[in-house]
């Protein structure tokens, strides 16, 4: 798949899809957020689950997809964040990513797209996954 | 029209701006506004993240929350800049009036809370960034 086709897909409709990237490693977050922006997505960034929830609750922000690391500092990890999103914003999709191989089954029940995306992940895989979710959301 | 009367200005590469702000909603708003006028914006939520980015990425302008909490303040970033290639411009933001005076000689200062438009204007003027969208890359 070409980057240009992804770009068009992200910008389809009245406004680009908005992705919230939740990642505590700043250089990983920087790379994935910038890549998604280049693909045409509107991207917000959060360092941890607490920041993510502040953004999700902000009235001026509307998030379509949360892309979150599982292991994060703080009281809530990626699974906790996914549960919060499911309980409070069921229309928002969640993609979890992890370097560990733990709990793919749990992630499968939390994320519409299925199992965890394992780190290190090719950035194009992230875009592919987001496109799948966006297409699924548009069909439903 | 003679060729001599036509001036073609080259499109500039967007400067890299690092926004270091502990308040995630403010960081998000400021960064979005700066991206909207074609700047490349990197976000950091702490002094540690800011130093990591400054070690890895060339930054032209640093917009720095001097009141960062709890893991290191913005001043920690300022003091550590001497050991690296510092950004061309530093804009410090603080709710403390004394901070502006302390920052004198190192960069510009802005008092918090600030309107987003004030920061955008300060950044744009500092970097001599064109006001018209036609000139943006």
């Amino acid at each position: 798949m070409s980057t240009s086709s992804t770009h068009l897909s992200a910008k389809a409709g009245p406004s680009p899809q908005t992705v919230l990237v939740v990642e505590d490693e700043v250089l990983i977050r920087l790379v994935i957020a910038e890549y998604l922006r280049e693909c045409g997505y509107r991207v917000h960034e959060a360092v941890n689950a607490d920041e993510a929830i502040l953004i999700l609750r902000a009235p001026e922000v509307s998030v379509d997809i949360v892309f979150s690391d599982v292991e994060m500092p703080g009281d809530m990890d990626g699974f906790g964040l996914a549960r919060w999103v499911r309980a409070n914003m069921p229309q928002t999709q969640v993609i979890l990513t992890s370097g560990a191989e733990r709990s793919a089954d749990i992630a499968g029940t939390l994320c519409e797209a299925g199992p965890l995306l394992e780190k290190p992940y090719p950035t194009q895989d992230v875009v592919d996954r987001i496109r799948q979710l966006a297409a699924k959301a548009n069909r439903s | 029209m003679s060729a001599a009367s036509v001036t073609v200005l080259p499109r500039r590469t967007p400067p890299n701006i690092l926004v270091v702000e502990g308040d995630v909603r403010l960081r998000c708003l400021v960064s979005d506004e700066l991206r909207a006028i074609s700047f490349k914006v990197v976000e950091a939520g702490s002094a540690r993240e800011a130093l990591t980015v400054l070690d890895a990425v060339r930054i032209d302008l640093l917009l720095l929350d001097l009141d960062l909490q709890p893991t290191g303040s913005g001043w920690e970033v300022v003091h550590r800049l001497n050991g690296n290639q510092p950004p061309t411009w530093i804009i410090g933001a603080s709710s403390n009036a004394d901070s502006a005076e302390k920052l004198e000689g190192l960069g510009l200062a802005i008092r918090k809370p600030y309107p987003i438009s004030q920061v955008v204007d300060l950044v744009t003027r500092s970097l001599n960034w064109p006001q018209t969208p036609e000139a943006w890359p």
Side-chain angles (χ1 to χ4, degrees):
Chain A
M1 177 176 45
S2 70
T3 301
S4 59
S5 67
T6 306
H7 187 87
L8 288 171
S9 168
K11 288 193 168 173
S15 61
Q17 292 262 317
T18 300
V19 181
L20 172 59
V21 176
V22 191
E23 168 64 61
D24 61 305
E25 292 291 337
V26 63
L27 296 181
I28 295 175
R29 191 175 72 238
L30 183 164
V31 169
I32 195 69
E34 195 54 32
Y35 184 78
L36 290 171
R37 286 188 188 103
E38 285 176 6
C39 290
Y41 293 95
R42 183 180 173 88
V43 179
H44 299 303
E45 302 178 34
V47 175
N48 53 37
D50 291 339
E51 280 199 359
I53 289 173
L54 282 172
I55 290 180
L56 289 164
R57 280 182 166 152
E60 71 274 14
V61 175
S62 175
V63 174
D64 300 297
I65 294 166
V66 175
F67 178 76
S68 176
D69 192 9
V70 169
E71 293 89 9
M72 289 184 291
D75 295 334
M76 188 183 284
D77 64 8
F79 291 127
L81 177 61
R83 288 191 195 94
W84 187 92
V85 171
R86 172 165 280 191
N88 294 280
M89 298 183 160
Q91 77 284 4
T92 302
Q93 309 279 344
V94 178
I95 299 172
L96 292 179
T97 175
S98 174
E101 294 182 4
R102 68 182 177 122
S103 304
D105 290 341
I106 298 173
T109 65
L110 294 171
C111 300
E112 300 293 341
L116 292 164
L117 196 58
E118 285 193 13
K119 284 181 171 180
Y121 44 76
T123 46
Q124 186 59 50
D125 285 3
V126 179
V127 175
D128 291 347
R129 187 69 67 87
I130 288 171
R131 289 187 68 209
Q132 289 168 17
L133 285 175
K136 193 171 180 179
N138 288 338
R139 283 197 302 270
S140 61
Chain B
M1 180 183 293
S2 70
S5 66
V6 177
T7 304
V8 179
L9 295 173
R11 285 183 182 269
R12 287 174 59 187
T13 304
N16 287 326
I17 298 174
L18 173 58
V19 175
V20 188
E21 171 57 56
D23 178 340
V24 64
R25 286 180 63 182
L26 180 58
R27 191 173 75 229
C28 182
L29 284 171
V30 171
S31 300
D32 272 3
E33 287 295 319
L34 292 172
R35 287 189 189 102
I37 50 175
S38 289
F39 289 118
K40 287 284 189 185
V41 180
V42 180
E43 300 181 32
S46 65
R48 183 181 62 84
E49 283 200 344
L51 291 168
T52 301
V53 171
L54 286 163
D55 273 342
V57 181
R58 183 186 60 79
I59 295 296
D60 300 296
L61 186 146
L62 171 64
L63 177 60
L64 178 64
D65 175 13
L66 294 168
D67 308 330
L68 282 173
Q69 295 290 338
T71 56
S73 76
W75 290 108
E76 184 181 335
V77 178
V78 171
H79 295 142
R80 293 273 291 278
L81 280 175
N82 294 332
N84 299 312
Q85 185 177 351
T88 309
W89 293 94
I90 302 172
I91 300 175
S94 175
S95 56
N96 183 345
D98 293 339
S99 290
E101 203 171 316
K102 284 168 67 180
L103 195 66
E104 198 173 349
L106 288 170
L108 305 168
I110 191 167
R111 183 79 181 272
K112 293 173 82 174
Y114 51 70
I116 306 293
S117 58
Q118 189 181 352
V119 171
V120 171
D121 184 56
L122 194 55
V123 169
T124 304
R125 282 191 289 112
S126 298
L127 293 167
N128 195 25
W129 193 242
Q131 301 285 334
T132 53
E134 293 77 20
W136 298 340

